[in-house]
Amino acid sequence: MTLETPLAKVLGPKTATGMADQLGLHTVRHLLRHYPRRYARRGEMARLDDLQPGDRVTVLAQVKTVSTRPMRQRRGTLTEVTVGDGASTMKLVFFSHRHARLAPGVWGMFAGTVGTYQGKLQFTHPDMHLLSGDDDDDDWARELVPIYPASKDVSSWVIQKSVKLLLGGAGNLADLVADPLPEEIRTRHALLSLPAALLDIHRPTTAQDVERAERRLKWDEALTLQLTLAARRRAAALEPGTARPRKAGGLLDAVDAALPFALTDGQRAVGEELAAELDRDQPMHRLLQGEVGSGKTVVALRAMAQVVDAGGQAALLAPTEVLAAQHARGIRALLGPLGRAGELDGDPAGTRVTLLTGSLKAAARREARAEVAEGRAGIVVGTHALLQEGVDFADLGLVVVDEQHRFGVEQRDALRAKGSRPPHVLVMTATPIPRTVAMTVYGDLEVSTLRQLPSGRGGVASSVVPVVEKPGWLDRAWERLREEVAAGRQAYVVCPRIGDLPGDEPEDADGAPPEEEGRSDRRPPLAVLDVAEALRAGPLAGLRLEVLHGRMTPEEKDGVMRAFADGATDVLVATTVVEVGVDVPNATVMVVMDADRFGVSQLHQLRGRVARGKHAGLCLLVSDAPTSSPTGQRLAAVAATSDGFELARLDLETRREGDVLGAAQSGRRSGIKLLSLLEDEELIAEARAEATALLATERGLADHPGLAAEVAALASDERAEWLEKA
Ligand code: ADP
Ligand code: MG
């Protein structure tokens, strides 16, 4: 048996099939790395006396009576079992299930969620393990009984037994599992050997065993991931790119001359960094993160201009049509005649700014694609449509991805692949990234940060409007909005849903918090169309009010955005289509309806739409959640701080690692099971340093075949995932 031995060769065919199909476990390696979700403590095994409905517990009890009868409403049989632990009894109910060994007198462990039926406590379909008196009985006698992530056909007990078989069957686990970690690293960080850690995670004696085993196994995860990322960085550094040196007297100088403001120190510093990197023939791979409103666009535009001056093309990928159109408009306005080469009033020394989105009509699309393919378009702005086949660049020199959190690695790569040589890459995000995420999800990128907002910004004051507790505050909110409009400003009202269609889904559930228990019977979220109508007829009567949402055609959206940007509309009632990037400096108020239906980062993004000019802003988070509830407190936290990093951390707390890694990597398997992005910052940083050091040596991983195999296994799991999705 080796780590790569298929489980089918080791376990029975039925068990192996269930594990493969339902849990994705195919090899011995996979099963050994399938760790317990938690441990049931024998000493803390629940007493029947103490149970409360809703508890998720494991009890040790003896079967008293068993009775089976046909069900009245449905086909099949119902088996009722009474069990007792000496002090008290409870009922177990099984539908259409016969358990030959369930007989009076037998002891067993029963795990499930305590329910009630006719006032009595009961378990419905508990997980159970009957104690047979044969040799596996030491399993339940252990102090800590591992409880595994299980599935319909593969119970925790079956997994426990199968793992035991692997651990015991190998004779000496050390033969089966060579420790991939170099001795030196293990000693330096005081880590258990891998066989010892595997034994302890699956069959611990004390809680301390679990803790030490987990630390070691987290190290494996962190190191493998960091080695993969470090290898990617090194490979990228060896790719032959094209230097795009800065030239005087071209587009970049024209942009600088046309800017209506002075760059902030941060914009200047990052600009220098980018200019120098573009000048190298190694392709740049850089992440620019900066607070909402910190002015990332102009930094990107200056880099694009440098590339155009050097004879290349630059592509800007935006997540929505609204944003792509806004970028194109803004860049064209700034470049003036220099952006209209080939047109009557254009400057022949300039270039063209081409917008390429999915909604272009066939003829316009053909024309846009031709401009791109023939190199007439120096600056190409677009949405996903840029990634399509048939979009070819004459000489793609720089790819800029705006609002990276909306895109996965694959999209970044797809655009990169459109250059004949690897282009330089700049990805931008306004969602501040906690250090751990920067080291993992974005670990193959160098990071620049814009911390400073352009000076003269008014800042945004935020408050929660708890409509149940303070019904009068909502009226006051609409009054405030009217005051701003009277002073010449504009406002957004954001709702989670479009409306009109029955059961239409929230426009964008990205990063939304999980439904809280007990709140699933809530009314549907407020809808743009309903709210707009109510406001027109009520508190905002007489104001110029328009709606914006994802069901409108791109032309309609563009028209509404344009009117709002021109000041022809006072109030925009919208879904989260305004979340990213929308830039109307005269807008100062945002009212978010049903604010609790949005995620923390999303609220922060939304709030970033106001006070982008010199006027102070106001953001009101309207919610019917009680202020003392977790939801209410989450909103209060958003209102209390405008520090994006702080909020990113809060956001991370309300989501799971898998979601973060999964969303950002769009589905790639990360190999992360134990590592916590929230708690293991130090460990990840240490592993990153070790990985970088290992790969920096002449021989790389050549002297560490075990580590190389782990990295290869992660890569092949990733590929397997790919194949399944394709
Ligand atoms: P974000 O980083 O959120 O993408 P933008 O690039 O959209 O921010 O910039 C926000 C606003 O700030 C825009 O209206 C932009 O023109 C303006 N801006 C950018 N840099 C400066 C600066 N140095 N001084 C004043 N305003 C600036
Ligand atoms: Mg932006």
Side-chain angles (χ1 to χ4, degrees):
M1 184 165 67
T2 73
L3 288 180
E4 308 315 326
T5 303
L7 286 173
K9 295 219 167 112
V10 189
L11 310 171
K14 184 158 160 275
T15 307
T17 307
M19 284 190 180
D21 293 352
Q22 294 169 13
L23 297 169
L25 309 175
H26 301 277
T27 62
V28 168
R29 174 197 300 274
H30 291 151
L31 183 53
L32 284 177
R33 298 276 189 186
H34 188 68
Y35 309 129
R37 182 157 43 87
R38 62 186 180 89
Y39 302 86
R41 278 171 178 282
R42 188 163 147 72
E44 288 171 7
M45 203 80 67
R47 286 161 37 96
L48 294 181
D49 258 354
D50 300 336
L51 298 187
Q52 297 289 333
D55 287 351
R56 222 198 117 71
V57 293
T58 306
V59 300
L60 180 63
Q62 188 180 30
V63 176
K64 301 286 183 202
T65 65
V66 179
S67 75
T68 298
R69 56 181 164 80
M71 278 188 278
R72 262 180 241 132
Q73 315 285 351
R74 292 192 264 161
R75 286 166 43 131
T77 55
L78 179 78
T79 303
E80 287 186 337
V81 178
T82 315
V83 299
D85 65 355
S88 197
T89 62
M90 85 181 282
K91 194 156 30 159
L92 317 180
V93 179
F94 301 88
F95 299 107
S96 309
H97 250 271
R98 280 190 168 279
H99 288 275
R101 285 166 60 209
L102 259 180
V106 171
W107 282 83
M109 291 210 316
F110 307 93
T113 305
V114 181
T116 52
Y117 185 68
Q118 296 181 343
K120 290 232 174 87
L121 298 184
Q122 76 170 29
F123 271 153
T124 306
H125 269 305
D127 240 357
M128 67 175 178
H129 179 57
L130 299 177
L131 310 176
S132 59
D134 55 36
D135 61 0
D136 68 2
D137 278 5
D138 69 307
D139 286 344
W140 65 267
R142 301 184 67 80
E143 189 58 34
L144 293 171
V145 180
I147 307 289
Y148 288 91
S151 68
K152 191 163 111 315
D153 297 333
V154 188
S155 72
S156 177
W157 318 115
V158 168
I159 297 171
Q160 185 185 338
K161 261 194 238 166
S162 307
V163 168
K164 189 181 163 198
L165 193 76
L166 296 188
L167 296 178
N172 184 358
L173 193 59
D175 290 341
L176 174 62
V177 188
D179 196 332
L181 211 55
E183 180 74 44
E184 189 205 2
I185 294 184
R186 229 172 59 195
T187 322
R188 191 155 48 230
H189 299 281
L191 299 170
L192 286 183
S193 75
L194 182 58
L198 286 174
L199 208 55
D200 276 357
I201 197 99
H202 289 294
R203 299 177 70 76
T205 309
T206 65
Q208 204 198 0
D209 289 349
V210 176
E211 212 173 285
R212 286 193 326 190
E214 272 183 1
R215 198 171 106 79
R216 156 65 210 233
L217 297 171
K218 282 179 177 181
W219 251 91
D220 287 5
E221 291 177 3
L223 190 61
T224 308
L225 187 62
Q226 292 302 335
L227 282 170
T228 306
L229 294 168
R232 233 180 255 173
R233 280 199 304 273
R234 282 179 69 83
L238 295 176
E239 281 175 325
T242 307
R244 310 284 179 175
R246 183 164 181 172
K247 289 206 177 73
L251 208 57
L252 177 51
D253 284 351
V255 167
D256 282 342
L259 283 179
F261 45 71
L263 295 176
T264 65
D265 292 346
Q267 284 171 323
R268 207 180 301 280
V270 173
E272 291 301 317
E273 211 166 24
L274 298 185
E277 263 181 279
L278 293 174
D279 194 2
R280 286 198 221 129
D281 51 17
Q282 277 167 12
M284 165 175 90
H285 289 263
R286 190 163 281 278
L287 171 73
L288 172 57
Q289 62 170 339
E291 237 346 311
V292 194
S294 58
K296 294 181 290 296
T297 315
V298 66
V299 173
L301 176 59
R302 294 184 69 247
M304 295 196 283
Q306 173 170 337
V307 168
V308 173
D309 283 340
Q313 292 169 291
L316 171 57
L317 178 64
T320 63
E321 297 222 354
V322 167
L323 194 52
Q326 175 188 287
H327 277 317
R329 210 160 41 231
I331 293 171
R332 281 184 186 135
L334 201 63
L335 294 182
L338 277 171
R340 292 195 294 271
E343 284 173 47
L344 207 52
D345 65 342
D347 184 333
T351 188
R352 294 190 64 78
V353 180
T354 299
L355 177 65
L356 194 70
T357 60
S359 63
L360 286 187
K361 299 276 179 331
R365 174 171 337 143
R366 223 173 303 125
E367 172 56 23
R369 286 185 173 188
E371 286 182 358
V372 176
E374 291 158 20
R376 275 179 285 146
I379 294 181
V380 185
V381 183
T383 54
H384 285 88
L386 278 184
L387 308 175
Q388 281 164 3
E389 233 167 281
V391 178
D392 299 307
F393 287 79
D395 180 14
L396 182 58
L398 170 66
V399 168
V400 180
V401 183
D402 195 16
E403 304 298 346
Q404 158 77 11
H405 67 291
R406 294 304 195 84
F407 295 102
V409 180
E410 289 84 37
Q411 279 124 340
R412 202 205 295 161
D413 287 347
L415 193 47
R416 255 163 50 85
K418 291 193 181 285
S420 50
R421 292 179 138 206
H424 300 281
V425 176
L426 175 67
V427 302
M428 308 198 287
T429 177
T431 310
I433 300 171
R435 183 159 164 255
T436 48
V437 178
M439 287 190 295
T440 51
V441 179
Y442 298 102
D444 59 338
L445 301 169
E446 312 290 337
V447 179
S448 303
T449 306
L450 279 181
R451 290 187 188 278
Q452 192 184 14
L453 295 187
S455 59
R457 288 283 168 78
V460 186
S462 308
S463 348
V464 181
V465 178
V467 282
V468 175
E469 288 150 61
K470 310 275 184 191
W473 287 17
L474 188 56
D475 296 338
R476 180 68 193 118
W478 301 128
E479 266 170 49
R480 279 290 290 124
L481 192 156
R482 293 193 77 107
E483 285 164 22
E484 287 293 316
V485 171
R489 309 279 88 79
Q490 290 161 282
Y492 299 96
V493 177
V494 178
C495 307
R497 199 167 59 99
I498 303 172
D500 222 17
L501 293 186
D504 72 337
E505 289 300 307
E507 176 92 312
D508 177 5
D510 185 30
E515 282 285 326
E516 264 168 57
E517 276 189 39
R519 303 206 69 196
S520 51
D521 57 342
R522 287 194 296 175
R523 62 164 170 76
L526 291 172
V528 165
L529 300 178
D530 304 339
V531 168
E533 197 180 302
L535 290 176
R536 271 196 194 109
L540 301 186
L543 300 190
R544 295 170 301 172
L545 187 148
E546 293 288 344
V547 301
L548 182 71
H549 57 74
R551 240 177 16 236
M552 293 161 56
T553 67
E555 289 83 16
E556 288 170 339
K557 275 192 270 193
D558 199 46
V560 168
M561 258 336 280
R562 228 181 258 259
F564 190 67
D566 292 346
T569 306
D570 300 317
V571 183
L572 199 57
V573 183
T575 56
T576 50
V577 289
V578 300
E579 173 191 336
V580 287
V582 169
D583 184 34
V584 178
N586 191 47
T588 52
V589 191
M590 172 169 288
V591 180
V592 184
M593 306 304 289
D594 274 344
D596 48 289
R597 313 265 183 154
F598 298 94
V600 170
S601 288
Q602 225 175 359
L603 290 172
H604 186 55
Q605 280 284 327
L606 283 168
R607 175 167 62 185
R609 301 308 112 215
V610 293
R612 297 171 76 83
K614 54 187 184 296
H615 309 287
L618 177 66
C619 176
L620 299 172
L621 306 173
V622 181
S623 166
D624 57 9
T627 44
S628 59
S629 68
T631 305
Q633 292 184 349
R634 186 161 49 85
L635 290 179
V638 175
T641 177
S642 57
D643 179 344
F645 284 90
E646 172 96 27
L647 290 170
R649 210 180 149 76
L650 187 66
D651 195 34
L652 200 53
E653 275 170 33
T654 52
R655 290 155 70 187
R656 289 182 25 247
E657 323 302 334
D659 298 344
V660 178
L661 287 167
Q665 303 262 38
S666 72
R668 282 206 190 181
R669 195 153 163 164
S670 61
I672 300 287
K673 292 181 182 133
L674 295 172
L675 202 62
S676 156
L677 295 182
L678 210 52
E679 289 158 14
D680 297 321
E681 179 169 338
E682 203 175 320
L683 194 157
I684 293 171
E686 285 172 4
R688 185 176 174 85
E690 293 287 3
T692 311
L694 274 168
L695 288 188
T697 61
E698 191 103 322
R699 293 178 51 79
L701 291 185
D703 297 327
H704 306 292
L707 279 181
E710 290 293 320
V711 172
L714 177 66
S716 82
D717 278 353
E718 259 182 31
R719 264 196 302 278
E721 189 96 339
W722 254 124
L723 289 178
E724 275 162 34
K725 289 180 77 179

